[in-house]
């Protein structure tokens, strides 16, 4: 902040900082609220964030806008987690690592997916996951090139299978059909087998 | 119809027959309409069925009611198809037969699933599939008991995997990511591998 900064500029900057803090507080409150109750009201989210409903609606015009922003931030978290993973070794190990870590992110943000499924629809959810799908796609293609993953099915289909089953596990945990503690292992076992080339032995995990 | 049947009873019976015909015509028109355009309007469905909108709303109060009735009838078709299948032999062959036949039913009723996903939500769709899931579950359990399908994962999870991937294939065909003609084979290959016991060889299909 230079000596020439006017009071007006400082005020603007302070307002922008306030707005950013409000948005973060709203997204935090929405993430917690959706996990507790996928039908949590906007009023409850605003109250938990310590902002008024008018402030909340100033940032997010509709519930769908808010859910999409929460989903986008969740996917940002997933990228941060992926950035910290070493996926360069054996593709089966890398897949297990990727699935286990992704499941943890999904589990921490469970209600977000359920709300997104209702508010945004399947195709919009897929669009928001585009960069994630690309990252998973790179691993699948490498595994196919190394002969460790099957290549009798297109990589794009195998990526869809991975994304779909992870989201299904989240729905099953939400519905009480699956224990959250079991889901990571079930996913790894199912996906490792699904990607094994025909004529090869399914790795034991 | 006995000699004692009154004219009033005959008229009632004729009205009921008319109502049944109207309902069938509406469900046929809705099935065709949804396949063409998952967002097809109630007015278009009524016109195609040759009934007035008031008649249609007399049978189905909301679009969701109509979509649920179409889905229930589709599942009735699936049961009829399953009844005609011999699933008593090798579990892998039986799974391939079941998946291939089910895919044909799903493919013929594609828009129905998409509309149901939006109008009814994931859990209601699952409820409507309950008897189908039970039938698939019997095959999975037999395969597990015979050591042909993996038993390191619960049968209920494997049934979820089967249902989910079949519906995902339908979404991918709707979205233009997957050719309808490829989907049956992709599903059989993916599911046969997913159910192979760890330490065993994935059957080539």
């Amino acid at each position: 902040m230079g000596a020439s900064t006017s009071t007006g500029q400082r005020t603007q900057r302070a307002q922008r900082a306030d707005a950013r803090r409000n948005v973060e507080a709203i997204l935090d409150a929405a993430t917690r609220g959706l996990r507790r109750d996928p039908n949590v009201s906007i009023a409850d989210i605003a109250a938990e964030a310590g902002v008024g409903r008018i402030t909340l609606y100033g940032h997010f015009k509709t519930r769908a806008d808010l859910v999409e922003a929460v989903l986008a931030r969740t996917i940002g978290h997933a990228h941060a987690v992926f950035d910290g993973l070493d996926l360069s070794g054996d593709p089966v190990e890398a897949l297990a690592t990727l699935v286990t870590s992704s499941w943890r992110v999904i589990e921490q943000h469970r209600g977000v997916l359920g709300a997104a499924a209702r508010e945004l629809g399947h195709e919009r959810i897929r669009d928001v996951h585009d960069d994630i799908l690309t990252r998973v796609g790179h691993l699948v293609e490498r595994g196919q090139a190394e002969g460790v993953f099957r290549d009798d099915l297109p990589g794009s289909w195998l990526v869809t299978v991975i994304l779909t089953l992870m989201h299904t596990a989240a729905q099953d945990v939400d519905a009480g059909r699956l224990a959250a503690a079991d889901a990571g292992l079930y996913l790894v076992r199912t996906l490792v087998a699904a990607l094994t080339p025909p004529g090869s032995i399914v790795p034991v995990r």
Side-chain angles (χ1 to χ4, degrees), chain A:
Chain A
M1 222 177 287
S4 67
T5 308
S6 74
T7 309
Q9 279 176 321
R10 264 200 299 276
T11 307
Q12 269 199 342
R13 206 172 284 145
Q15 282 172 344
R16 278 200 299 269
D18 270 358
R20 271 197 304 274
R21 270 194 299 273
N22 280 342
V23 166
E24 282 303 305
I26 292 166
L27 293 177
D28 286 342
T31 304
R32 284 194 303 271
L34 288 170
R35 192 171 198 284
R36 217 167 42 227
D37 171 13
N39 298 312
V40 62
S41 72
I42 290 288
D44 283 349
I45 292 171
E48 183 159 343
V51 304
R53 282 172 66 175
I54 291 171
T55 302
L56 190 152
Y57 281 116
H59 292 294
F60 304 101
K61 281 194 187 62
T62 66
R63 196 171 193 280
D65 285 348
L66 174 57
V67 168
E68 184 157 341
V70 173
L71 181 61
R73 201 180 60 158
T74 302
I75 287 178
H77 288 171
H79 278 295
V81 170
F82 285 11
D83 287 340
L85 300 178
D86 177 8
L87 300 177
S88 62
D90 170 49
V92 171
E93 286 307 320
L95 178 67
T97 302
L98 183 71
V99 168
T100 304
S101 299
S102 305
W103 171 252
R104 272 192 219 113
V105 176
I106 292 178
E107 213 285 309
Q108 282 157 14
H109 298 82
R110 255 196 296 127
V112 177
L113 261 181
R118 276 186 304 279
E119 300 272 352
L120 310 178
H122 172 79
E123 289 302 315
R124 186 80 202 101
I125 292 182
R126 208 186 146 98
D127 286 348
V128 177
H129 278 83
D130 209 39
D131 290 343
I132 296 281
L133 294 175
T134 302
R135 292 183 84 145
V136 176
H138 288 320
L139 172 58
V140 168
E141 280 164 25
R142 184 169 69 81
Q144 287 182 315
E146 294 180 15
V148 176
F149 294 153
R150 67 193 311 161
D151 63 2
D152 62 330
L153 295 174
S156 57
W157 168 252
L158 299 176
V159 170
T160 295
V161 168
I162 294 168
L163 178 81
T164 298
L165 290 186
M166 302 208 64
H167 288 178
T168 298
Q171 285 167 341
D172 272 26
V173 172
D174 280 339
R177 282 188 294 271
L178 177 59
D182 292 334
L185 181 63
Y186 288 9
L187 284 166
V188 169
R189 287 183 175 169
T190 306
L191 291 169
V192 163
L195 270 68
T196 301
S200 295
I201 294 175
V202 175
V204 179
R205 311 230 24 130

